[in-house]
Amino acid sequence: MKAVTVIGIGDDGCVGLSSKAMGAVARARVLAGGERHLDFFPQFDGERIVIKNNIVRTAEKIAELSAEHTICVLASGDPLFFGIGNLILKKVGRDHVEFIPAPSSVQNAFSKIGVKWDDASFISLHGRPIEGFITKLQTISKIACLTDETNSPSKIAKYLLNYSETDWKVFVCENLGGKEEKVREFELETLAETPNISDLNVIILIRKDPNWKPYPLLPFLGEDEYAKRLPKKGLITKKEVRILSLSALEIRPDSVIWDIGAGSGAVSIEAAKIAREGKVYAIEVDSEGIEICQQNMLSHKTDNVFLIHGKAPQALMDIPAPDCVFIGGSKGNMKEIIELSFDRLSQGGCLVANAITLDNVAEAYKTFRDMDLIPEVSLINISRGQKLADYLRYEALNPIHIFKIRKS
């Protein structure tokens, strides 16, 4: 028998445990778990450890005691599915831990509504920020969400409605396996106003439209699909340049990205869709630009973009270090922005700067050379077809330089 046995337990308590699990509890000298889990074993006469607030310290205590005692840890459902199991593994060591799982709350929830779940996605909002949830949904047709008091079902419903995410069937499954079990289907508008839902719940979201498809992996959105500042055609990176710049940034699903001089926010939004598990910090000095970015974030459903109203490089001081930096505007501070951004850039990360004016091109190139860096440089000349009566002519866009440096 290993020193620590982690047992999955449902709301039905001892009734749902196997003889192997009950035997492990009987042999243990220490029993750890949440208060409601420990209440299932009033007859246990060994040491009890309540797992409540400082979970890391509790796991360390379990590891210390395991040197001399046999220990059972009680956890909800499957301890290795968004549970305490992985933390116990790290603190005690794989060779000294055994797991006896119960069906997870998500597994139970799908069985209650009679829907297959091998194609479902999962997210835990338990003790985690809700920001980024909307962006993740844009690639998902079926998802189970674990909630908490802060990210309650009604708050999640309101959050979805704020981004016009209404094309969902919503199931709320409460107290699964217990005496107070409830399984209900809601419209989002109704759920947003429904109080007194148990903290022990799973939300399942399923797309109403069976023919729904996610957005393309490589967006190629025209300028007219974004709100933007005038005059002329707006302060926005043209779609052909945008896709080249995004590719040069080498964005990964969990990247932290800086978009300096965000303008209308098009680069931030499309970067955020690629970095679904990451974050984009959009820095913009103009108040009107901030309002337009917010409008575009809502309409394009990217809640992992975080707007910073300020001027670079000062506005960059207190935000997390980036894996990718895009410089779309500099307000005369190109040198300082490049130097600070490259210094903060993570190892292996990429910095990409777009420059239209000869002044910015010269300053960017000189700055890189003064830093003993040799950038990859592309001069992009793009012409678009335009109708002229019954004919098609070409209309040239402003040429633009794209500078790229990878931090080695």
Side-chain angles (χ1 to χ4, degrees):
M1 179 178 175
K2 295 188 177 181
V4 178
T5 304
V6 186
I7 298 173
I9 188 168
D11 273 9
D12 54 356
C14 302
V15 175
L17 294 182
S18 65
S19 58
K20 181 180 180 182
M22 290 299 292
V25 173
R27 291 189 295 272
R29 300 310 312 142
V30 179
L31 188 63
E35 289 176 349
R36 65 189 181 89
H37 297 142
L38 295 175
D39 287 345
F40 290 129
F41 298 91
Q43 76 283 6
F44 184 81
D45 60 1
E47 181 179 353
R48 291 168 176 260
I49 298 175
V50 178
I51 300 174
K52 193 170 185 180
N53 293 323
N54 195 335
I55 297 176
V56 174
R57 179 66 195 108
T58 305
E60 290 170 349
K61 182 177 180 181
I62 289 169
E64 291 166 9
L65 291 172
S66 68
E68 298 180 6
H69 303 281
T70 54
I71 300 174
C72 267
V73 179
L74 305 173
S76 297
D78 184 344
L80 290 170
F81 184 78
F82 294 114
I84 197 173
N86 193 49
L87 181 59
I88 297 295
L89 273 177
K90 288 179 179 177
K91 298 299 181 183
V92 178
R94 191 179 306 276
D95 294 338
H96 307 292
V97 183
E98 180 180 4
F99 291 90
I100 305 176
S104 69
S105 57
V106 169
Q107 187 176 353
N108 280 329
F110 276 105
S111 69
K112 292 295 180 181
I113 67 171
V115 173
K116 77 185 191 81
W117 63 293
D118 53 2
D119 59 345
S121 298
F122 316 100
I123 187 168
S124 176
L125 297 175
H126 186 89
R128 305 179 188 195
I130 196 170
E131 288 79 12
F133 182 51
I134 299 295
T135 304
K136 294 181 180 74
L137 285 183
Q138 304 315 305
T139 60
I140 290 169
S141 60
K142 184 188 298 180
I143 186 169
C145 310
L146 305 181
T147 74
D148 64 11
E149 292 179 9
T150 302
N151 293 320
S152 63
S154 60
K155 179 179 176 180
I156 292 168
K158 289 173 185 174
Y159 195 69
L160 288 165
L161 290 170
N162 189 45
Y163 283 87
S164 302
E165 275 290 326
T166 56
D167 183 36
W168 295 97
K169 295 179 184 176
V170 187
F171 299 88
V172 180
C173 307
E174 303 169 66
N175 299 314
L176 292 169
K179 294 178 182 179
E180 305 297 322
E181 179 179 286
K182 283 184 186 177
V183 177
R184 293 180 283 175
E185 183 175 356
F186 288 92
E187 291 295 325
L188 279 171
E189 292 81 0
T190 305
L191 180 57
E193 303 303 325
T194 301
N196 303 322
I197 293 175
S198 170
D199 292 340
L200 298 174
N201 70 74
V202 176
I203 295 181
I204 294 175
L205 301 170
I206 301 174
R207 294 271 179 189
K208 292 179 180 177
D209 181 5
N211 298 314
W212 173 86
K213 292 182 180 179
Y215 55 69
L217 288 176
L218 287 176
F220 197 54
L221 300 177
E223 296 83 66
D224 290 341
E225 296 187 58
Y226 291 95
K228 52 193 177 293
R229 280 181 285 169
L230 299 176
K232 297 185 179 178
K233 295 183 180 179
L235 297 176
I236 185 169
T237 305
K238 302 301 183 282
K239 66 177 182 179
E240 297 88 351
V241 176
R242 205 183 310 140
I243 198 165
L244 290 170
S245 300
L246 289 166
S247 177
L249 286 168
E250 300 182 15
I251 300 169
R252 291 171 172 77
D254 61 349
S255 291
V256 173
I257 302 153
W258 289 0
D259 177 11
I260 302 168
S264 303
V267 170
S268 291
I269 285 164
E270 294 180 16
K273 290 180 178 182
I274 299 169
R276 295 186 303 276
E277 304 292 332
K279 293 181 179 180
V280 179
Y281 292 90
I283 295 89
E284 173 58 41
V285 69
D286 185 82
S287 297
E288 185 186 359
I290 291 290
E291 292 177 10
I292 291 170
C293 281
Q294 289 171 332
Q295 182 181 338
N296 283 324
M297 286 163 54
L298 278 171
S299 62
H300 290 273
K301 302 183 179 183
T302 47
D303 63 333
N304 57 335
V305 178
F306 299 86
L307 284 175
I308 297 171
H309 188 187
K311 187 176 181 180
Q314 294 82 4
L316 307 173
M317 299 298 183
D318 298 323
I319 58 177
D323 303 301
C324 315
V325 175
F326 176 71
I327 304 172
S330 63
K331 293 289 184 182
N333 294 328
M334 179 69 82
K335 179 178 185 294
E336 294 81 1
I337 291 171
I338 289 174
E339 289 174 344
L340 187 144
S341 298
F342 191 77
D343 181 61
R344 296 282 309 279
L345 188 64
S346 63
Q347 207 70 19
C350 292
L351 182 153
V352 172
N354 286 4
I356 296 176
T357 68
L358 287 175
D359 308 81
N360 273 353
V361 170
E363 186 176 5
Y365 186 64
K366 184 177 186 305
T367 301
F368 286 125
R369 293 308 303 264
D370 288 347
M371 296 168 66
D372 292 325
L373 300 171
I374 300 176
E376 176 185 322
V377 187
S378 301
L379 172 59
I380 311 300
N381 288 283
I382 293 170
S383 296
R384 292 177 177 173
Q386 298 287 339
K387 284 205 71 174
L388 178 65
D390 293 331
Y391 301 95
L392 189 71
R393 67 179 180 86
Y394 283 110
E395 184 176 284
L397 303 180
N398 283 331
I400 188 165
H401 285 77
I402 299 178
F403 292 87
K404 174 181 177 176
I405 283 287
R406 184 186 293 108
K407 189 173 183 177
S408 57

